[in-house]
Amino acid sequence: MLKWLRKRSAEGEEGPSRGRLLRARVMRNPAVSARVLESGAMRLEAPRAKAGKAAARGRRSHKQFELDEMGRWLWERLDGRPVVETLIRNFATEHRVTMREAEVAILTFLKLLVKRNLAALAIPEAAQIRREGRDA
């Protein structure tokens, strides 16, 4: 489960370590617009990479994504300030789930947002994490 989040193995497995991901900051793509629907859900609208070709084929020039209540909760907090670990802790507290359940939910959703180019992760370098650990 969640292979992309495992600690790097000696063979140099792909992807950042879990520790670096938990210290990452997440930012929304500024090209994405969001609006709250009557149902309380949220609709995200993002421009297509090849909008001209999409229009020529009769498709919309924007992709739409609908977020449920929990997706909306996270989207509204993606401003680049809190680190992923803080988001997980807050989610667990507010939604009364275990830390493990919150971590799986948040990291899975963030992976989807990044994959669809709706958000980006700013992952700190390993040296920066070690410095922060000494300063704490």
Side-chain angles (χ1 to χ4, degrees), residues 46-108:
R48 291 187 184 274
K50 299 176 183 175
K53 288 184 181 182
R57 292 184 188 138
R59 294 182 2 203
R60 284 187 236 131
S61 61
H62 286 76
K63 298 181 282 186
Q64 292 184 349
F65 305 92
E66 199 162 312
L67 305 179
D68 62 8
E69 181 185 330
M70 290 187 190
R72 178 180 171 191
W73 180 93
L74 182 60
W75 181 260
E76 290 173 343
R77 286 155 181 79
L78 301 183
D79 58 8
R81 283 184 271 168
V83 295
V84 173
E85 189 172 25
T86 302
L87 293 170
I88 292 168
R89 197 174 302 116
N90 292 345
F91 185 86
T93 302
E94 289 185 36
H95 292 91
R96 297 180 185 189
V97 296
T98 67
M99 286 295 288
R100 180 68 183 145
E101 290 170 327
E103 183 176 333
V104 170
I106 296 290
L107 293 178
T108 301

Side-chain angles (χ1 to χ4, degrees), residues 28-33 45-47 62 117-118:
R28 289 179 243 162
N29 180 340
V32 175
S33 63
E45 199 168 280
H62 286 76
N117 199 27
L118 299 171

Side-chain angles (χ1 to χ4, degrees), residues 9-29:
S9 65
E11 297 84 40
E13 187 176 307
E14 290 296 315
S17 70
R18 179 178 174 275
R20 287 178 60 203
L21 277 171
L22 293 177
R23 287 173 184 80
R25 297 185 188 281
V26 189
M27 292 143 293
R28 289 179 243 162
N29 180 340

